[in-house]
Amino acid sequence: MKKSVYLQLAIDGIRKNRRLYLPYMLTGAIMMMMFYILAFLATSPLLSHMRGGTPLSIILPMGTTVIAVFSLLFLFYSQSFLIRQRNKEFGLYHVLGMDKWNICRILFWENLLVAVCSIVSGVALGIAFSKIAEVSLLNILREEIDYHLSVGLGALIETVRIFGLIYLLLFVYAQVRVYFSNSLELLLSAKTGECPPKGNWLFALIGAVVLGIAYYLAVSIQHPLQALLTFFVAVIMVIIATYLLFITGSVVFCRLLQKNKHYYYKPNHFVSVSSMVYRMKRNGAGLASICILSTMVLVTLSSTASLYLGMEDSINDMCPYDINVEITLYEPELFQAETFNSYRCIIADTGVAETVHREYPMGEILGVIGDDGIFFDMEVLHDFSPNAYGRMVNVRLLPVADYNRIMGTNESLAVGECLLYRTEKPYTNDTFAIGNETNLQVKKVLLEFFAEGRSTVELEPAIYLVVSDLDTVRSLVVSANTEAGNSIGNLIWKYGFDTNLPETEQIAFSRKLGDSIRAHFYDADDHLISNYSYGVDSKAANREDFLNVYGSLLFLGVMLSSVFVFAAVLIIYYKQISEGYEDQSRFEIMQKVGMTKKDIRKSINSQILTVFFLPLAFAGLHLAFAFPLVFKILQLLKLQNVALLATVTFSCFLIFGLFYAIVYKLTAGAYYRIVSGLQDV
């Protein structure tokens, strides 16, 4: 047989099955487009000349890896569907005299044509839309936009290499699958129904238990670091449970519907339920995939959008003032008023005009929380596991005079007394112990405290103790370090102030001030005079950093969500097509015995309401239980606004639900045309 015959048969096969191949090639092209865009931006010269180039150079390659792995898995799924739909045709070729080697040669040309068309169109779309993506990213990062169009040669080569390898693996998979099938199986594969999986109740129960455990983990974890590590375990458990419930639990659900005589014995319910129960194993896997992809889209979009929209709150929480100075003194004798006055002079010598300022000294002691105070278990304090962090607490000490000045109160304390404020559950004891050496009398439990501003993520909850004077703060920190035999306590001086400087000048000023503070601790020969550490943060610089990281995450979230949405749409479409072909003969028989086209529509609508919206409902349920876990993880990225996250999450679900309904309405038309033989919907 001539080679041109195989090529012609391959072209005819794609043309006759264009309803299946065109969405498959389009999805592959879309995934390649997304891959190229991320690879193009990751290697763009713009990154080295823009703010946030470093975060982008880390985040964007992660996105390309996710898209490559997901594309491999999903295209294998799509390839399996295509081969199953073509099995009858391949079996007929075999009966007519073609051996499996001839069929494999047809598959070779089909796969080659599909790969070439997908790669060429994917790369072309990537090049065409890369500039739009670049402009969008620059707009998110509030950078100056450059409209010069360029092609990333490295990104182009990487895209062709990765997806060329993927399509090669797909070709090998198709060849192996056809080669090890016999002609009778191929001919009858489209007529072979799916038997209901055995042991449905058992696996449905296992799925429910696994899902319950995952939900419990999601709502019971209290510490952000524990949430970060638990998240991946919970995700895997939810995926396993979702597939078990949709594959086996959906059969149980259909059988329960069959037992309900008032529901089942109606024309629009009888046909759809009775047909679904015999092929729900494969149908359930598709529904579970739609559910998982929908959940991924909702979690990705809601979390990245919340970080970006809540960026200003996070910045204000981190930097209450335009300029924030923090000096840690490791020599206790320096923790006194004279030293603080010298620091004020350094700031004053810069000549900047302060509009508002706040100053206070503070002591910090890290310990393990107990019922009546903190103690120093060095085994726990040296343990960096999430469980250890869950037991730790950071006690912060402040002189009462500074507390009164900042809060505008008139509290008074004797030596040995304290005012106490706890950020988590209330404190009810009359005394507060700091190790074995000190026992403070709690004069009053405070209901509010001023916002400090922290440049780093706090992994431990805080307890604030207002004590009698500066000497008490120093002595408590020194005694804690002595008792623990380790430096678990620090003495800190903080100074924050606002200026009228533009943001660019604020950043330059913060660097200049940092150099001045550093010079204060060194002599003329650049020798360290006293042991210290310092930090000078500007709100403007932190705004740049937050914008770079959160803007990059939002951009990546939108890109990945687009890929997941295209995959979900293709699964929905293939699900409708496959069910349409499988139900076509059944509906033909039902029409011959009196079922009208109106009844067909009712049956289709019944199937939509009964089955299709289950993935969306489960995705919403997954999202609701994942919400506490997601919020704790986002707290590690300084997001504290739970109301914002809830609003964005709910809005994303509503918008996605509307999109979901529109997509299914459109794809349901393809199903209806197949089963009814109509040309219009």
Side-chain angles (χ1 to χ4, degrees):
M1 190 178 292
K2 295 182 179 180
K3 294 181 180 180
S4 59
V5 174
Y6 297 116
L7 176 59
Q8 187 60 47
L9 287 173
I11 295 174
D12 289 341
I14 294 174
R15 180 177 56 82
K16 292 177 182 178
N17 294 277
R18 59 184 177 276
R19 179 179 288 175
L20 303 176
Y21 274 96
L22 287 180
Y24 172 63
M25 289 189 288
L26 177 61
T27 303
I30 293 297
M31 290 183 177
M32 272 180 274
M33 178 188 76
M34 298 296 185
F35 184 93
Y36 171 82
I37 288 174
L38 291 181
F40 167 76
L41 293 175
T43 58
S44 173
L46 282 174
L47 294 183
S48 58
H49 302 294
M50 64 183 289
R51 301 176 304 178
T54 300
L56 276 172
S57 63
I58 297 173
I59 293 172
L60 293 180
M62 293 171 57
T64 59
T65 302
V66 172
I67 290 178
V69 173
F70 181 78
S71 299
L72 175 65
L73 298 176
F74 184 73
L75 289 176
F76 262 95
Y77 168 87
S78 302
Q79 176 82 305
S80 299
F81 173 83
L82 289 174
I83 293 176
R84 187 177 188 279
Q85 296 300 314
R86 300 287 307 282
N87 276 344
K88 183 179 178 180
E89 182 181 340
F90 295 148
L92 183 60
Y93 285 156
H94 201 175
V95 170
L96 293 176
M98 283 190 181
D99 57 23
K100 292 181 181 179
W101 174 243
N102 298 131
I103 297 175
C104 287
R105 295 182 74 176
I106 297 174
L107 276 177
F108 165 77
W109 285 108
E110 283 190 8
N111 280 271
L112 181 62
L113 290 172
V114 168
V116 170
C117 291
S118 298
I119 292 175
V120 170
S121 57
V123 170
L125 288 172
I127 294 173
F129 285 95
S130 60
K131 192 61 190 180
I132 297 177
E134 182 181 278
V135 170
S136 301
L137 178 60
L138 292 174
N139 188 54
I140 290 175
L141 299 180
R142 304 171 192 173
E143 289 281 349
E144 184 178 350
I145 296 175
D146 177 16
Y147 292 99
H148 176 71
L149 179 65
S150 60
V151 177
L153 182 60
L156 180 63
I157 295 174
E158 184 70 6
T159 303
V160 174
R161 185 178 69 85
I162 293 295
F163 281 88
L165 179 61
I166 290 176
Y167 279 105
L168 177 62
L169 294 175
L170 291 173
F171 166 70
V172 173
Y173 170 72
Q175 299 281 23
V176 171
R177 183 165 177 173
V178 170
Y179 187 82
F180 287 100
S181 300
N182 60 59
S183 57
L184 184 61
E185 288 177 347
L186 294 174
L187 276 171
L188 298 179
S189 61
K191 299 291 185 181
T192 303
E194 292 273 356
C195 296
K198 298 181 180 180
N200 291 327
W201 286 97
L202 175 62
F203 285 105
L205 180 61
I206 292 174
V209 170
V210 172
L211 187 63
I213 295 173
Y215 283 170
Y216 173 77
L217 289 174
V219 300
S220 63
I221 296 298
Q222 297 298 322
H223 197 274
L225 195 58
Q226 287 178 310
L228 181 62
L229 298 179
T230 304
F231 180 78
F232 299 101
V233 177
V235 166
I236 293 173
M237 294 178 69
V238 166
I239 291 174
I240 294 173
T242 301
Y243 276 96
L244 285 175
L245 287 175
F246 273 94
I247 293 173
T248 61
S250 54
V251 175
V252 173
F253 179 66
C254 289
R255 287 179 174 174
L256 290 175
L257 292 179
Q258 286 179 316
K259 292 180 180 180
N260 186 341
K261 297 180 180 180
H262 297 288
Y263 177 88
Y264 181 59
Y265 291 106
K266 292 182 179 180
N268 56 328
H269 296 160
F270 179 83
V271 176
S272 60
V273 174
S274 59
S275 63
M276 284 189 297
V277 74
Y278 284 100
R279 50 186 171 79
M280 189 54 78
K281 181 178 180 180
R282 177 174 47 79
N283 189 48
L287 293 173
S289 299
I290 295 171
C291 176
I292 295 300
L293 287 170
S294 301
T295 307
M296 292 168 67
V297 169
L298 291 169
V299 171
T300 301
L301 274 182
S302 61
S303 57
T304 54
S306 296
L307 284 172
Y308 187 78
L309 295 175
M311 179 173 56
E312 200 62 33
D313 289 340
S314 300
I315 294 169
N316 291 330
D317 178 68
M318 186 174 178
C319 296
Y321 295 93
D322 291 346
I323 306 296
N324 302 270
V325 179
E326 181 176 311
I327 300 176
T328 301
L329 301 167
Y330 300 112
E331 298 177 19
E333 60 273 12
L334 294 177
F335 194 71
Q336 55 180 309
E338 284 187 18
T339 305
F340 305 151
N341 187 57
S342 66
Y343 301 155
R344 290 190 211 101
C345 292
I346 296 174
I347 297 173
D349 289 342
T350 59
V352 68
E354 300 179 11
T355 56
V356 180
H357 84 275
R358 185 176 70 188
E359 172 200 352
Y360 57 94
M362 175 174 283
E364 287 187 343
I365 302 173
L366 180 65
V368 181
I369 188 66
D371 293 333
D372 56 354
I374 64 167
F375 58 95
F376 311 125
D377 186 336
M378 300 314 298
E379 184 176 345
V380 175
L381 294 177
H382 287 161
D383 184 2
F384 298 104
S385 69
N387 290 331
Y389 277 115
R391 298 177 59 193
M392 295 180 191
V393 67
N394 202 328
V395 176
R396 293 169 186 157
L397 308 162
L398 186 73
V400 67
D402 294 278
Y403 173 79
N404 285 333
R405 175 170 45 80
I406 295 171
M407 297 295 292
T409 56
N410 191 28
E411 302 287 350
S412 61
L413 293 172
V415 176
E417 291 182 334
C418 71
L419 308 176
L420 188 145
Y421 174 78
R422 189 170 185 179
T423 57
E424 293 188 338
K425 59 183 180 180
Y427 190 80
T428 57
N429 292 345
D430 294 332
T431 60
F432 187 87
I434 301 179
N436 298 317
E437 302 295 329
T438 306
N439 201 30
L440 297 174
Q441 187 71 28
V442 179
K443 183 179 180 180
K444 182 180 179 181
V445 175
L446 301 173
L447 300 179
E448 60 179 351
F449 210 85
F450 64 87
E452 279 192 84
R454 291 272 159 177
S455 60
T456 56
V457 175
E458 295 187 86
L459 297 177
E460 312 90 17
I463 294 179
Y464 292 87
L465 294 180
V466 180
V467 296
S468 56
D469 51 35
L470 191 66
D471 291 337
T472 303
V473 173
R474 180 173 57 247
S475 63
L476 289 174
V477 172
V478 171
S479 63
N481 286 335
T482 302
E483 181 180 343
N486 207 328
S487 297
I488 60 171
N490 290 317
L491 296 167
I492 302 167
W493 181 77
K494 294 191 174 187
Y495 193 97
F497 58 96
D498 289 335
T499 72
N500 291 321
L501 296 175
E503 288 199 348
T504 53
E505 294 184 24
Q506 288 179 26
I507 297 173
F509 172 77
S510 65
R511 294 169 181 165
K512 176 183 175 183
L513 180 57
D515 293 338
S516 299
I517 292 174
R518 182 185 181 280
H520 178 78
F521 289 91
Y522 286 83
D523 59 20
D525 297 325
D526 203 33
H527 294 149
L528 184 65
I529 300 172
S530 56
N531 195 8
Y532 81 108
S533 65
Y534 76 96
V536 180
D537 286 328
S538 70
K539 183 177 289 188
N542 280 284
R543 183 176 287 109
E544 281 191 2
D545 293 339
F546 272 72
L547 182 62
N548 295 332
V549 175
Y550 291 175
S552 303
L553 288 175
L554 176 62
F555 180 80
L556 182 60
V558 171
M559 296 290 287
L560 293 181
S561 296
S562 300
V563 172
F564 298 151
V565 165
F566 276 111
V569 169
L570 188 62
I571 292 176
I572 293 170
Y573 177 77
Y574 279 164
K575 175 180 174 295
Q576 298 284 42
I577 294 296
S578 62
E579 290 181 4
Y581 284 125
E582 290 175 2
D583 291 345
Q584 188 176 35
S585 59
R586 299 185 183 97
F587 278 103
E588 287 177 356
I589 295 173
M590 296 302 292
Q591 287 185 80
K592 289 178 181 178
V593 298
M595 190 175 187
T596 65
K597 292 175 181 177
K598 182 178 180 181
D599 293 329
I600 293 176
R601 280 189 178 275
K602 288 183 177 180
S603 177
I604 293 172
N605 291 333
S606 172
Q607 182 172 337
I608 292 174
L609 295 175
T610 304
V611 175
F612 182 72
F613 283 95
L614 280 177
L616 183 62
F618 263 82
L621 190 64
H622 292 343
L623 188 65
F625 276 95
F627 183 85
L629 195 63
V630 172
F631 177 64
K632 289 181 178 64
I633 294 174
L634 295 183
Q635 283 181 305
L636 293 173
L637 296 173
K638 302 296 288 185
L639 179 70
Q640 302 295 334
N641 194 338
V642 65
L644 173 66
L645 179 61
T647 302
V648 172
T649 301
F650 185 68
S651 300
C652 288
F653 181 76
L654 289 181
I655 295 172
F656 182 80
L658 177 62
F659 173 80
Y660 186 92
I662 293 172
V663 168
Y664 195 81
K665 182 65 177 176
L666 295 175
T667 56
Y671 175 90
Y672 181 68
R673 283 194 294 269
I674 293 172
V675 300
S676 64
L678 296 177
Q679 297 302 315
D680 56 343
V681 182

